[in-house]
Amino acid sequence: MRKDGRPDHIEDALVVIHNKQWFTWTDSKNKIYANLRLTEKVGVDGNLVDNTVTELPTESAVNAKLKELQDAWDAANGG
Amino acid sequence: MALSKIDVANMLTGATPVANGGTAITSGFKNGITMADLWRITTAFTDDATPIASNWERADTYGFGQLGTGMTESSGVFTFPSTGIYRISFHVYIYLNGDDRLIETKIQTTTDNSSYNNLSDGVSFIQQTGGALTYNNSHNEGIFDVTNTTTHKCRFTVAVGNSSTAIAGDSNTSGTYVTFTRLGDT
């Protein structure tokens, strides 16, 4: 995410697609779709529970969400 | 006349205080801090994480320096390398395109490796500025007496009022992070 709020990375889309810590990266210094994975557990009310997200969104769905967010930002900011 | 050395011991009677030139510094004081560590969240998320269970890493960029044996982490639970008095800090980088009146961050500790209590409770909020993405942070500090490394552990939580509130994660620059400093013996 750019500091002005314009989404510029797929992680910006992923945090909108689902809430909580539902995803992770096999290499957090190379955040590309190929390195995207589901977490097994998330923290809820002091406990570790199974991640309710059981399927990764497709790469095209992630890219489409990112473009949707960028278009919305551009429209709101005179882009 | 330049003063290069004054033999204070010859001017006093009785014990010579260390601050006055005595030689007992290494034997009279504990040596300095021997353990310092920093862990951070690598990946952003929205909504609550009670606790923050994943995506932790030890800082490894831009000259980070770990001192001594560091912490270990598993599923968001941190284990101390040795007994002692530790200062724990928890800094949370928050952003939202909207409003959130209560963002609560906590350092939680256990002394039985089971039930957790709130060592520190911090709050923050976001009131959107300029109709745009708005930022804030929350910071917690605590001091924890680790008398047993098997039973005394800690974890970190974030609870938000607006499920769209995001917590930043970055594997290069520390935005949401925890630090551990061993201050001395228990």
Side-chain angles (χ1 to χ4, degrees):
Chain A
M1 182 82 74
R2 295 188 339 198
K3 278 292 192 297
D4 64 5
R6 189 178 194 275
D8 64 351
H9 192 277
I10 60 172
E11 189 166 289
D12 301 325
L14 295 170
V15 300
V16 173
I17 291 173
H18 298 293
N19 291 335
K20 303 189 185 298
Q21 289 190 289
W22 66 273
F23 68 95
T24 188
W25 304 99
T26 56
D27 180 358
S28 63
K29 288 181 170 54
N30 186 21
K31 294 179 177 179
I32 59 174
Y33 183 83
N35 291 337
L36 179 65
R37 299 288 186 276
L38 296 173
T39 54
E40 292 185 8
K41 302 282 186 179
V42 296
V44 177
D45 297 332
N47 300 301
L48 295 183
V49 302
D50 290 341
N51 187 356
T52 58
V53 180
T54 57
E55 190 172 339
L56 285 176
T58 64
E59 185 171 12
S60 60
V62 174
N63 289 334
K65 175 56 74 174
L66 178 58
K67 185 175 187 310
E68 175 189 324
L69 295 172
Q70 289 174 330
D71 290 346
W73 190 92
D74 291 343
N77 292 275
Chain B
M1 180 180 70
L3 292 177
S4 58
K5 184 176 180 181
I6 298 175
D7 189 356
V8 176
N10 288 333
M11 301 177 186
L12 301 172
T13 58
T16 303
V18 169
N20 286 344
T23 58
I25 289 178
T26 55
S27 60
F29 290 95
K30 296 289 185 184
N31 288 328
I33 288 171
T34 56
M35 182 276 185
D37 201 3
L38 186 149
W39 288 67
R40 62 190 173 201
I41 298 296
T42 64
T43 305
F45 63 91
T46 50
D47 206 353
D48 297 344
T50 54
I52 301 174
S54 58
N55 296 324
W56 288 103
E57 73 165 7
R58 174 175 288 120
D60 56 2
T61 51
Y62 306 145
F64 167 72
Q66 176 190 340
L67 182 61
T69 302
M71 303 292 290
T72 54
E73 181 270 338
S74 177
S75 299
V77 175
F78 285 83
T79 300
F80 296 85
S82 63
T83 60
I85 305 291
Y86 286 84
R87 181 174 63 201
I88 306 169
S89 70
F90 178 30
H91 187 88
V92 183
Y93 178 136
I94 310 158
Y95 58 94
L96 173 66
N97 196 2
D99 296 336
D100 192 340
R101 62 172 293 277
L102 178 59
I103 300 151
E104 194 166 24
T105 61
K106 296 176 181 176
I107 301 171
Q108 295 187 324
T109 53
T110 177
T111 56
D112 62 5
N113 196 25
S114 177
S115 59
Y116 282 83
N117 294 295
N118 300 325
L119 179 71
S120 174
D121 188 354
V123 293
S124 187
F125 70 95
I126 287 185
Q127 187 168 22
Q128 191 178 39
T129 300
L133 194 72
T134 303
Y135 302 84
N136 207 338
N137 61 69
S138 181
H139 191 82
N140 298 57
E141 293 269 351
I143 293 179
F144 187 35
D145 183 1
V146 179
T147 57
N148 183 321
T149 59
T150 301
T151 55
H152 289 52
K153 300 183 179 185
C154 72
R155 67 185 186 185
F156 304 89
T157 72
V158 174
V160 301
N162 183 334
S163 62
S164 296
T165 295
I167 307 305
D170 193 317
S171 62
N172 292 302
T173 299
S174 301
T176 298
Y177 61 88
V178 296
T179 66
F180 303 89
T181 309
R182 188 179 184 279
L183 301 174
D185 295 338
T186 182

